[in-house]
Amino acid sequence: MRVRHPQCPEWGIGQIQSVVGQRVTVNFENAGKVMIRSDLIALIPLEPNES
């Protein structure tokens, strides 16, 4: 799934790599791999044709 971080748009589009409990690892275009707690940050899902 492709996502954006609501508070860090400069990171670009991210691809979810793994989900373990509340921990989501996302590989962002401009920030690399970032671990995000889904209970604190609601990532914005992108439609398949959205960029």
Side-chain angles (χ1 to χ4, degrees):
M1 175 182 271
R2 294 171 357 123
V3 296
R4 287 192 186 274
H5 190 294
Q7 298 161 345
C8 301
E10 68 276 8
W11 288 3
I13 295 171
Q15 175 73 39
I16 292 179
Q17 302 294 302
S18 67
V19 179
V20 179
Q22 304 264 345
R23 297 178 185 182
V24 181
T25 302
V26 184
N27 190 14
F28 287 98
E29 295 172 317
N30 303 319
K33 284 192 178 180
V34 178
M35 193 281 296
I36 295 171
R37 286 187 42 196
S38 63
D39 59 332
L40 300 177
I41 302 292
L43 294 169
I44 301 167
L46 299 180
E47 295 295 324
N49 60 352
E50 191 176 352
S51 58

